[in-house]
């Protein structure tokens, strides 16, 4: 019996919000990006721009788009936080679900809180806050080195004489959005940002790389064609300007929805 063996390259769990085909369908519809030798714009190149756009959005709003596990985030211990109040630790990213909180002197584990004591909260927009509260619940106790060293919320053993211990806490938590829960405004923002590189390349190739106009004359007859490309303007400049304007307006509206006001006391 004859057999047909197919070798197919595929990707799994790439963490990208869009596939190259989705970008062309949603944001680059009607635009063909093709080189002078007839080769089309590769999916690998489009993936690069998508990943770069995702990283740019993450850096601007100081969050992680795709749901992921933060393995170890170092936080500072301040003694004043544990006197006459329950401590609140402030994380770099929104905390969807706290996993563990461990106190260490360098690599020596000193204390570990039960997961049941770690709580997080959501704001009025449904966004998780960048904080973890330590509130004793139930009969759980924190243990270290298989010995009970904390029952109830008290000052850390051996650290009550220090006002501040840098990098004392190791916090592990889940952050980011699920694929089905990804906010549409962040999706739309990422898609538009991913188009700037491909649109600039496509604009240069409308009539050929570096060519803004062409003309042909035969026996007194002539015909010319030109594009919007020039030394200072891209071929698809109108679409680029529109996307740029929409991005600025969107960012202005949602900046404080996904980020927080950062204050520093000197």
């Amino acid at each position: 019996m004859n057999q047909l063996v197919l070798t197919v390259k595929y990707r799994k769990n790439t963490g990208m919000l869009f596939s190259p085909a989705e970008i062309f369908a949603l944001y680059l519809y009607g635009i063909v990006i093709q080189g002078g030798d007839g080769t089309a714009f590769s999916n690998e190149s489009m993936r690069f721009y998508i990943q770069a756009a995702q990283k740019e959005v993450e850096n601007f709003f100081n969050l992680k788009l795709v749901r992921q596990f933060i393995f170890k985030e170092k936080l500072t211990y301040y003694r004043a936080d544990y006197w006459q109040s329950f401590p609140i630790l402030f994380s770099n990213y929104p905390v969807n679900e706290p996993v563990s909180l461990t106190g260490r002197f360098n690599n020596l584990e000193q204390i570990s809180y039960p997961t049941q004591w770690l709580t997080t909260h959501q704001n009025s927009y449904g966004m998780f806050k960048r904080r973890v509260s330590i509130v004793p619940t139930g009969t759980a106790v924190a243990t270290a080195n298989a010995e009970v060293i904390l029952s109830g919320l008290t000052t850390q053993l051996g650290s009550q004489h220090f006002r501040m211990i840098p990098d004392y806490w190791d916090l592990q938590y889940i952050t980011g959005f699920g694929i089905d829960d990804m906010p549409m405004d962040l999706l739309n923002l990422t898609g538009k940002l991913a188009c700037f590189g491909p649109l600039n390349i496509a604009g240069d190739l409308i009539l050929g790389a570096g060519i803004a106009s062409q003309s042909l004359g035969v026996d007194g007859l002539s015909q010319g064609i030109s594009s919007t490309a020039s030394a200072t303007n891209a071929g698809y400049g109108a679409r680029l300007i529109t996307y740029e304007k929409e991005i600025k307006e969107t960012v202005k509206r949602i900046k404080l929805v996904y980020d927080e006001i950062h204050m520093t006391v000197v």
Side-chain angles (χ1 to χ4, degrees):
M1 180 181 294
N2 294 331
Q3 292 183 344
L4 178 62
V5 179
L6 300 177
T7 302
V8 180
K9 291 184 179 180
Y10 68 95
R11 294 174 180 268
K12 183 179 180 181
N13 298 331
T14 60
M16 293 197 309
L17 303 185
F18 294 95
S19 68
E22 288 173 328
I23 292 294
F24 276 104
L26 294 173
Y27 301 99
L28 299 176
Y29 181 77
I31 295 178
V32 178
I33 307 179
Q34 197 171 57
D37 58 353
T39 57
F41 193 72
S42 68
N43 287 336
E44 291 297 327
S45 299
M46 183 59 74
R47 289 191 185 95
F48 168 81
Y49 288 109
I50 296 172
Q51 291 171 338
Q54 287 184 210
K55 189 63 177 178
E56 187 172 353
V57 172
E58 288 180 342
N59 290 341
F60 188 81
F61 292 104
N62 191 30
L63 49 75
K64 298 293 185 182
L65 291 175
V66 180
R67 187 176 177 88
Q68 58 192 268
F69 174 62
I70 303 299
F71 173 69
K72 183 184 294 185
E73 184 172 307
K74 290 287 189 179
L75 302 175
T76 301
Y77 164 83
Y78 296 99
R79 186 181 65 182
D81 294 341
Y82 299 84
W83 290 97
Q84 298 180 346
S85 64
F86 290 143
I88 299 176
L89 303 180
F90 294 94
S91 59
N92 291 329
Y93 305 113
V95 181
N96 297 13
E97 180 182 346
V99 176
S100 72
L101 179 65
T102 305
R104 298 175 184 271
F105 282 120
N106 287 332
N107 294 324
L108 177 62
E109 181 177 323
Q110 185 192 30
I111 189 170
S112 179
Y113 283 110
T115 306
Q116 296 89 338
W117 290 19
L118 309 178
T119 59
T120 186
H121 303 279
Q122 291 176 283
N123 60 21
S124 58
Y125 297 103
M127 283 287 298
F128 286 97
K129 295 184 178 180
R130 304 166 191 265
R131 50 172 281 189
V132 173
S133 305
I134 305 177
V135 181
T137 58
T139 59
V141 295
T143 62
N145 299 325
E147 295 181 2
V148 176
I149 64 169
L150 180 64
S151 180
L153 193 62
T154 62
T155 313
Q156 282 66 44
L157 298 179
S159 61
Q160 60 267 33
H161 299 295
F162 301 98
R163 292 184 178 181
M164 185 268 289
I165 304 175
D167 300 329
Y168 178 76
W169 295 115
D170 284 347
L171 176 63
Q172 296 182 341
Y173 58 95
I174 305 295
T175 189
F177 302 95
I179 297 299
D180 297 329
D181 302 325
M182 189 70 63
M184 293 301 295
D185 45 10
L186 292 182
L187 276 174
N188 195 30
L189 187 63
T190 303
K192 291 175 182 176
L193 280 172
C195 292
F196 278 73
L199 280 175
N200 280 320
I201 294 174
D204 290 339
L205 300 178
I206 293 177
L207 297 177
I211 301 175
S213 62
Q214 290 180 339
S215 60
L216 176 66
V218 179
D219 294 336
L221 299 176
S222 63
Q223 182 179 12
I225 184 173
S226 61
S227 69
T228 56
S230 66
T232 58
N233 188 53
Y236 291 101
R239 186 173 298 201
L240 287 168
I241 292 173
T242 300
Y243 281 167
E244 183 180 9
K245 181 180 179 180
E246 292 175 353
I247 288 171
K248 288 182 178 179
E249 292 297 324
T250 300
V251 168
K252 187 186 304 182
R253 290 192 299 266
I254 69 175
K255 173 63 175 176
L256 291 182
V257 174
Y258 298 105
D259 202 356
E260 296 180 352
I261 298 176
H262 303 279
M263 300 181 64
T264 303
V265 179
V266 181

